[in-house]
Amino acid sequence: MNTNSKQPILPPATIGIVGGGQLGQMMALSAKSMGYHVGVLDPTPQAPAAQVADFQVTAPYDDQAALIELAKRSDVLTYEFENVDEAALKAAQQYTALPQGTALLHITGNRLNEKQFLHDNGIPVTPFAAVTDAQSLNYACHRIGTPSILKTAAGGYDGHGQADLNQPTPTDASLALLTQPCILEARQTFRAEVSMMVTRSAAGVITTFPLVENRHQHHILHTTIAPANVGPAVHDAAQKIAVSIAEALKLRGVLGIEFFVLPDDRLLVNELAPRPHNSGHYTIEACNISQFEAHIRSICGLPIPAITQTQPAVMRNLLGADLTVARENLINHPEWHFHDYGKADIKPQRKMGHITVLDQDLNHALTTLDILKGAQ
């Protein structure tokens, strides 16, 4: 199967989504509004994406037979997260189109592969080294220096699978990670974290979304401010890097790129996400098309318009009990664009939904969300 086929896939074709979380849900909603049918593979019955899809295959993500079933029932496959079993996806690729391919997953599903890919393509990243055991950790600490961060090469998210190293002597927390391959990264002093979504059409036309600023709490994205309050040179530099990455990947679908803005305004790429990204949720209300519609258009071979942001926006994640507080206050906040992902259980620090506020005054937009402080 040629994953870069330029033959468009038109409604009412069926889009199969591997993963049934909130990103899959918003992909599905966008696809359904365009007239597509949607199927979802997820081990949880009535997962968020399945609630708005036409059918669900309920099985683990590495269940090759289940993935092939989804492929046979779909005209095109996509995925909503990195940790999809590559072998199972390659097997499914024999039965339907997979425009994103599996190379993108191989790169972005492993932090070491990702950093090496970026470095090899001249993209600025923090110094890094592979770590496999205590000896190589000791060597890496002296080569990279401290403070640094040890991360599992695969599987970590939202701060999981990480340990800070403030001195060359390994800590118990860092040694505990060495049951699997790791990467040591030099910790950077930065003045802002920003991100940009980029996509590329089947015809090779690359389109970027605005650069946004991200604020985290406990390693989890808390608030996104769009556009980012940085100088024009930083916006331009981010766009050039995004285009370079999209070209190097021969990208299909949407890619999220997270950057550090250093004190001198230089950018370092921190992470890539091979699908729509949490920090791009504001695009649903604030842009002429959302990151999710752009993703559907790209994988289906449709043209993608130039992106315009109609109003400044603030997106606030609803973590844990934030959701309950937000529900109770909806009656008082007509300016809130409220999104509830429909997850069965409310858990601390779990992403349960989000709110977007459009306002020319971003400080005022942030103030309207103050009721959520301390809710978690």
Side-chain angles (χ1 to χ4, degrees), residues 120-198:
D120 290 347
N121 282 278
I123 306 298
V125 295
T126 193
F128 66 94
V131 173
T132 55
D133 53 26
Q135 183 177 356
S136 60
L137 175 58
N138 182 64
Y139 173 76
C141 282
H142 285 87
R143 185 166 75 85
I144 299 300
T146 55
S148 54
I149 307 173
L150 184 70
K151 303 177 181 180
T152 56
Y157 67 96
D158 288 346
H160 298 285
Q162 299 186 19
D164 291 330
L165 284 165
N166 296 313
Q167 53 189 7
T169 304
T171 63
D172 290 343
S174 64
L175 293 173
L177 297 179
L178 298 182
T179 56
Q180 57 183 300
C182 292
I183 180 173
L184 187 73
E185 299 178 2
R187 190 190 305 163
Q188 294 291 332
T189 299
F190 54 87
R191 66 179 186 87
E193 293 181 84
V194 296
S195 61
M196 177 175 280
M197 308 302 114
V198 62

Side-chain angles (χ1 to χ4, degrees), residues 66-316:
L67 197 53
I68 288 173
E69 178 189 346
L70 179 67
K72 288 181 174 179
R73 297 175 68 178
S74 304
D75 297 286
V76 61
L77 276 185
T78 187
Y79 36 80
E80 67 137 21
F81 67 109
E82 292 89 320
N83 299 314
V84 182
D85 185 82
E86 285 183 48
L89 203 56
K90 284 180 180 178
Q93 193 175 355
Q94 301 175 51
Y95 299 94
T96 195
L98 181 68
Q100 294 159 277
T102 56
L104 179 62
L105 277 180
H106 182 75
I107 292 168
T108 60
N110 182 288
R111 289 187 173 104
L112 191 58
N113 292 348
E114 182 175 285
K115 283 289 192 298
Q116 193 64 54
F117 163 81
L118 293 167
H119 178 268
D120 290 347
N121 282 278
I123 306 298
V125 295
T126 193
F128 66 94
V131 173
T132 55
D133 53 26
Q135 183 177 356
S136 60
L137 175 58
N138 182 64
Y139 173 76
C141 282
H142 285 87
R143 185 166 75 85
I144 299 300
T146 55
S148 54
I149 307 173
L150 184 70
K151 303 177 181 180
T152 56
Y157 67 96
D158 288 346
H160 298 285
Q162 299 186 19
D164 291 330
L165 284 165
N166 296 313
Q167 53 189 7
T169 304
T171 63
D172 290 343
S174 64
L175 293 173
L177 297 179
L178 298 182
T179 56
Q180 57 183 300
C182 292
I183 180 173
L184 187 73
E185 299 178 2
R187 190 190 305 163
Q188 294 291 332
T189 299
F190 54 87
R191 66 179 186 87
E193 293 181 84
V194 296
S195 61
M196 177 175 280
M197 308 302 114
V198 62
T199 188
R200 178 177 169 274
S201 71
V205 178
I206 296 171
T207 305
T208 59
F209 283 82
L211 187 70
V212 300
E213 180 181 347
N214 299 319
R215 298 177 181 177
H216 294 77
Q217 289 187 8
H218 309 297
H219 300 287
I220 302 173
L221 180 64
H222 185 270
T223 305
T224 292
I225 298 171
N229 184 24
V230 293
V234 178
H235 287 268
D236 291 345
Q239 185 178 43
K240 289 177 182 177
I241 290 172
V243 168
S244 294
I245 293 172
E247 287 177 340
L249 290 170
K250 295 183 172 55
L251 180 68
R252 292 288 296 277
V254 163
L255 180 81
I257 307 172
E258 296 181 82
F259 303 87
F260 293 138
V261 184
L262 301 184
D264 62 0
D265 277 353
R266 286 184 300 121
L267 289 171
L268 296 181
V269 173
N270 180 36
E271 287 186 350
L272 304 179
R275 33 75 183 168
H277 189 262
N278 193 171
S279 66
H281 292 349
Y282 78 96
T283 62
I284 297 172
E285 287 84 20
C287 294
N288 56 324
I289 69 166
S290 73
Q291 63 168 343
F292 300 100
E293 181 175 340
H295 184 83
I296 298 301
R297 284 177 170 271
S298 177
I299 64 169
C300 290
L302 301 177
I304 303 164
I307 303 301
T308 57
Q309 184 174 347
T310 56
Q311 285 194 69
V314 170
M315 188 284 300
R316 166 69 149 81

Side-chain angles (χ1 to χ4, degrees), residues 223 281-282 284-286 311-319 321-340 353-359 361-373 375:
T223 305
H281 292 349
Y282 78 96
I284 297 172
E285 287 84 20
Q311 285 194 69
V314 170
M315 188 284 300
R316 166 69 149 81
N317 269 334
L318 298 174
L319 304 174
D322 286 348
L323 179 67
T324 302
V325 175
R327 286 171 175 167
E328 293 169 349
N329 282 275
L330 271 178
I331 192 169
N332 301 316
H333 290 278
E335 75 281 6
W336 284 1
H337 295 274
F338 176 72
H339 297 257
D340 183 336
H354 74 268
I355 292 171
T356 299
V357 178
L358 307 182
D359 198 319
D361 184 342
L362 287 171
N363 287 326
H364 181 260
L366 288 164
T367 299
T368 70
L369 298 164
D370 280 348
I371 191 68
L372 299 170
K373 286 183 177 177

